[in-house]
Amino acid sequence: MTERARLHQELLRSQAFLEQTNTLAKVGGWELALDTNTLSWTRETHLIHGVPEDFDPNVGAALSFYPQPGQAQLEAAIAACAADGSPIDLTLRAITAAGERSWLHIVGKRVEDATGARLIGAIQDVTEQRSAVDALAQSEARYRRLFQHSLGLICTHTLSGEITSVNPAASLSLGRPEAELLGRSLAEIIPLERQDQLQYYLQRVAENQSDSGLMELVADDGSRRYWAYHNVLDTEADPPYVLGHAQDITTQHLQERQLLEMAIRDPLTRSFNRRYLAELAQQQLEAWGCLVFDLDHFKEINDTQGHAHGDSVLVEFVAFLSSPLEENEVVVRLGGDEFLVFVPGARMERLQVLEETYQARAHLAPVRFSGGCAISRPSETVADTINRADMKLYERRRRERPE
């Protein structure tokens, strides 16, 4: 008797432990005897359905906790399991006795032993898990709608620059189908002369986890597109990826460039203007040099051959002055038929080389010209430097052409 009592106590403890764990996991058990159609529930199953423990369930009552079409699904699954042993595995919406909505996961199988054939299974309240899944699905759906319908340009790419997604606005901006862009490298849609900037961009994103700026891209028709972007690195993803958001500012960018060009360039010859010369001089940390030129008897060309021909002479003369120039050396139209060649960080040797070159090629110029040169002095104004070059121009003209 003592051994029987001990075993009984252990059984009770095991049952209590099982009930406690089932309660924590919100898992209940059920059994359906097929010969008598008798349904049995555990205590937790009663709690899940919101009924007291003395509630005596039957198949019809159990099915009533599930609104259609879930009720029909469960009824069909029970029938199939009873008939051929098909396992039951369903997640259905349910309504408790108190009218509270929930989601229940039901599993079951057919067993047969000395007591007869029956279905046994478990039922778990997965409302919280299902709510989390639904919330995530809704969040992803909202993001997808934002991604698809945003007027902003959205794309993602790896840290090596491989494009992994683009939204329709970005695809439209580049004139390239989404399928054509996916899997390609950013290097394939960035101008060759900007490839080094791409590598710096990828390095900055990796190091700073974000980057902002202006990116120049090549559209399908070969035109340039300008994107003002702010991209961030998603470090929580595995592997990390770059989420990019940009605005297509191509029109604005081109307009700004056009306005800048209008502000610093002569509209006829496309050479720089006197206003920009002052900016060039201010940017110099050391002396700069210049050669000034004046076209001989240019007024007679306008008077005898017309202003249209005079304009073409000015354009050709700028081309003549530009031909021997090196990087950062530019032509400036001072006004009328007066021009200047700006030479940054100049030494007299360079000015002399240019003077000799222009004289040697003078026969290629559209008109006869006179010139003089000067190098800026500390604290000297731009006008004073030009004036000293003009003095040499006039002196040379008097010496070489006394008429």
Side-chain angles (χ1 to χ4, degrees), residues 24-47:
L24 289 173
K26 296 183 179 181
V27 176
W30 60 272
E31 180 179 278
L32 176 63
L34 296 180
D35 55 348
T36 62
N37 204 35
T38 302
L39 179 63
S40 301
W41 281 356
T42 63
R43 182 172 66 89
E44 184 61 27
T45 305
H46 283 80
L47 291 175

CSV table of all heavy atoms in Angstrom, one decimal, residues 24-47:
chain,number,residue,atom,x,y,z
A,24,LEU,N,1.1,27.5,-18.8
A,24,LEU,CA,2.0,28.6,-19.2
A,24,LEU,C,2.1,28.7,-20.7
A,24,LEU,O,2.2,29.8,-21.3
A,24,LEU,CB,3.4,28.2,-18.6
A,24,LEU,CG,3.5,28.4,-17.1
A,24,LEU,CD1,4.9,27.9,-16.7
A,24,LEU,CD2,3.4,29.9,-16.7
A,25,ALA,N,2.1,27.6,-21.4
A,25,ALA,CA,2.2,27.6,-22.9
A,25,ALA,C,0.8,27.7,-23.5
A,25,ALA,O,0.8,27.8,-24.8
A,25,ALA,CB,2.8,26.3,-23.3
A,26,LYS,N,-0.2,27.8,-22.7
A,26,LYS,CA,-1.6,27.9,-23.2
A,26,LYS,C,-1.9,26.7,-24.2
A,26,LYS,O,-2.4,26.9,-25.3
A,26,LYS,CB,-1.8,29.2,-23.9
A,26,LYS,CG,-1.8,30.4,-23.0
A,26,LYS,CD,-2.1,31.7,-23.7
A,26,LYS,CE,-2.0,32.9,-22.8
A,26,LYS,NZ,-2.3,34.2,-23.4
A,27,VAL,N,-1.5,25.5,-23.8
A,27,VAL,CA,-1.7,24.3,-24.6
A,27,VAL,C,-2.7,23.4,-23.8
A,27,VAL,O,-2.5,23.1,-22.6
A,27,VAL,CB,-0.4,23.6,-24.8
A,27,VAL,CG1,-0.7,22.3,-25.6
A,27,VAL,CG2,0.5,24.5,-25.6
A,28,GLY,N,-3.7,23.0,-24.5
A,28,GLY,CA,-4.7,22.0,-23.9
A,28,GLY,C,-4.7,20.7,-24.7
A,28,GLY,O,-4.2,20.7,-25.8
A,29,GLY,N,-5.3,19.7,-24.1
A,29,GLY,CA,-5.4,18.4,-24.8
A,29,GLY,C,-6.9,18.1,-25.1
A,29,GLY,O,-7.8,18.6,-24.5
A,30,TRP,N,-7.1,17.2,-26.1
A,30,TRP,CA,-8.5,16.8,-26.4
A,30,TRP,C,-8.4,15.3,-26.9
A,30,TRP,O,-7.4,14.9,-27.4
A,30,TRP,CB,-9.2,17.7,-27.4
A,30,TRP,CG,-8.4,17.8,-28.7
A,30,TRP,CD1,-7.5,18.7,-29.1
A,30,TRP,CD2,-8.7,17.0,-29.9
A,30,TRP,NE1,-7.0,18.5,-30.4
A,30,TRP,CE2,-7.8,17.4,-30.9
A,30,TRP,CE3,-9.5,15.9,-30.2
A,30,TRP,CZ2,-7.7,16.9,-32.2
A,30,TRP,CZ3,-9.5,15.3,-31.4
A,30,TRP,CH2,-8.6,15.8,-32.4
A,31,GLU,N,-9.5,14.7,-26.7
A,31,GLU,CA,-9.6,13.3,-27.2
A,31,GLU,C,-11.1,13.0,-27.6
A,31,GLU,O,-12.0,13.4,-27.0
A,31,GLU,CB,-9.2,12.3,-26.0
A,31,GLU,CG,-9.3,10.9,-26.4
A,31,GLU,CD,-8.9,10.0,-25.3
A,31,GLU,OE1,-7.7,9.8,-25.1
A,31,GLU,OE2,-9.8,9.4,-24.6
A,32,LEU,N,-11.2,12.3,-28.8
A,32,LEU,CA,-12.5,12.0,-29.3
A,32,LEU,C,-12.5,10.5,-29.6
A,32,LEU,O,-11.8,9.9,-30.4
A,32,LEU,CB,-12.7,12.7,-30.7
A,32,LEU,CG,-14.0,12.4,-31.4
A,32,LEU,CD1,-15.2,12.8,-30.5
A,32,LEU,CD2,-14.1,13.1,-32.7
A,33,ALA,N,-13.4,9.8,-28.8
A,33,ALA,CA,-13.6,8.3,-29.0
A,33,ALA,C,-14.5,8.1,-30.2
A,33,ALA,O,-15.6,8.6,-30.2
A,33,ALA,CB,-14.2,7.7,-27.7
A,34,LEU,N,-14.0,7.4,-31.1
A,34,LEU,CA,-14.7,7.3,-32.4
A,34,LEU,C,-16.0,6.4,-32.3
A,34,LEU,O,-16.9,6.6,-33.0
A,34,LEU,CB,-13.8,6.8,-33.5
A,34,LEU,CG,-12.7,7.8,-33.9
A,34,LEU,CD1,-11.8,7.2,-35.0
A,34,LEU,CD2,-13.2,9.1,-34.3
A,35,ASP,N,-15.9,5.4,-31.4
A,35,ASP,CA,-17.0,4.5,-31.3
A,35,ASP,C,-18.2,5.1,-30.6
A,35,ASP,O,-19.4,4.8,-31.0
A,35,ASP,CB,-16.6,3.2,-30.6
A,35,ASP,CG,-16.0,3.4,-29.2
A,35,ASP,OD1,-15.7,4.6,-28.9
A,35,ASP,OD2,-15.8,2.5,-28.4
A,36,THR,N,-18.0,6.0,-29.7
A,36,THR,CA,-19.1,6.6,-28.9
A,36,THR,C,-19.3,8.1,-29.3
A,36,THR,O,-20.2,8.7,-28.8
A,36,THR,CB,-18.8,6.5,-27.4
A,36,THR,OG1,-17.6,7.2,-27.1
A,36,THR,CG2,-18.7,5.1,-27.0
A,37,ASN,N,-18.3,8.7,-30.1
A,37,ASN,CA,-18.3,10.1,-30.5
A,37,ASN,C,-18.3,11.0,-29.2
A,37,ASN,O,-18.8,12.1,-29.2
A,37,ASN,CB,-19.5,10.4,-31.3
A,37,ASN,CG,-19.3,11.7,-32.2
A,37,ASN,OD1,-18.2,11.9,-32.7
A,37,ASN,ND2,-20.3,12.5,-32.4
A,38,THR,N,-17.5,10.5,-28.2
A,38,THR,CA,-17.4,11.2,-26.9
A,38,THR,C,-16.2,12.1,-27.0
A,38,THR,O,-15.1,11.6,-27.3
A,38,THR,CB,-17.3,10.2,-25.7
A,38,THR,OG1,-18.5,9.4,-25.7
A,38,THR,CG2,-17.2,11.0,-24.4
A,39,LEU,N,-16.3,13.3,-26.6
A,39,LEU,CA,-15.2,14.3,-26.7
A,39,LEU,C,-14.8,14.6,-25.2
A,39,LEU,O,-15.6,14.9,-24.4
A,39,LEU,CB,-15.6,15.6,-27.4
A,39,LEU,CG,-14.6,16.7,-27.5
A,39,LEU,CD1,-13.4,16.2,-28.3
A,39,LEU,CD2,-15.2,17.9,-28.1
A,40,SER,N,-13.5,14.6,-25.0
A,40,SER,CA,-12.9,15.0,-23.7
A,40,SER,C,-11.9,16.1,-23.8
A,40,SER,O,-11.2,16.2,-24.8
A,40,SER,CB,-12.3,13.8,-23.0
A,40,SER,OG,-13.1,12.7,-22.9
A,41,TRP,N,-12.0,17.0,-22.9
A,41,TRP,CA,-11.1,18.2,-22.8
A,41,TRP,C,-10.3,18.2,-21.5
A,41,TRP,O,-10.8,17.8,-20.5
A,41,TRP,CB,-11.8,19.5,-22.9
A,41,TRP,CG,-12.3,19.9,-24.3
A,41,TRP,CD1,-12.1,19.3,-25.5
A,41,TRP,CD2,-13.1,21.0,-24.6
A,41,TRP,NE1,-12.7,19.9,-26.5
A,41,TRP,CE2,-13.3,21.0,-26.0
A,41,TRP,CE3,-13.7,22.0,-23.9
A,41,TRP,CZ2,-14.1,22.0,-26.7
A,41,TRP,CZ3,-14.4,23.0,-24.5
A,41,TRP,CH2,-14.6,23.0,-25.9
A,42,THR,N,-9.0,18.7,-21.6
A,42,THR,CA,-8.3,18.9,-20.4
A,42,THR,C,-8.7,20.3,-19.8
A,42,THR,O,-9.5,21.0,-20.4
A,42,THR,CB,-6.8,19.0,-20.6
A,42,THR,OG1,-6.5,20.1,-21.5
A,42,THR,CG2,-6.3,17.6,-21.3
A,43,ARG,N,-8.2,20.5,-18.6
A,43,ARG,CA,-8.6,21.8,-17.9
A,43,ARG,C,-8.2,23.0,-18.7
A,43,ARG,O,-8.9,23.9,-18.8
A,43,ARG,CB,-7.9,21.8,-16.5
A,43,ARG,CG,-8.2,23.1,-15.7
A,43,ARG,CD,-7.7,23.0,-14.3
A,43,ARG,NE,-6.2,23.0,-14.3
A,43,ARG,CZ,-5.5,24.1,-14.2
A,43,ARG,NH1,-6.1,25.3,-14.2
A,43,ARG,NH2,-4.2,24.0,-14.2
A,44,GLU,N,-6.9,23.0,-19.3
A,44,GLU,CA,-6.5,24.1,-20.1
A,44,GLU,C,-7.3,24.3,-21.3
A,44,GLU,O,-7.6,25.5,-21.7
A,44,GLU,CB,-5.0,23.9,-20.5
A,44,GLU,CG,-4.4,25.1,-21.2
A,44,GLU,CD,-4.4,26.4,-20.4
A,44,GLU,OE1,-4.4,26.3,-19.1
A,44,GLU,OE2,-4.5,27.5,-21.0
A,45,THR,N,-7.8,23.2,-21.9
A,45,THR,CA,-8.7,23.4,-23.1
A,45,THR,C,-10.0,24.1,-22.7
A,45,THR,O,-10.5,24.9,-23.5
A,45,THR,CB,-9.0,22.0,-23.7
A,45,THR,OG1,-7.8,21.3,-24.0
A,45,THR,CG2,-9.8,22.1,-25.0
A,46,HIS,N,-10.5,23.8,-21.5
A,46,HIS,CA,-11.7,24.5,-21.0
A,46,HIS,C,-11.4,26.0,-20.9
A,46,HIS,O,-12.2,26.9,-21.3
A,46,HIS,CB,-12.1,23.9,-19.7
A,46,HIS,CG,-12.9,22.6,-19.8
A,46,HIS,ND1,-12.3,21.4,-19.9
A,46,HIS,CD2,-14.2,22.4,-19.7
A,46,HIS,CE1,-13.2,20.5,-19.9
A,46,HIS,NE2,-14.4,21.0,-19.8
A,47,LEU,N,-10.2,26.3,-20.3
A,47,LEU,CA,-9.8,27.7,-20.1
A,47,LEU,C,-9.7,28.4,-21.5
A,47,LEU,O,-10.0,29.6,-21.6
A,47,LEU,CB,-8.5,27.8,-19.3
A,47,LEU,CG,-8.5,27.3,-17.9
A,47,LEU,CD1,-7.1,27.4,-17.3
A,47,LEU,CD2,-9.5,28.2,-17.1
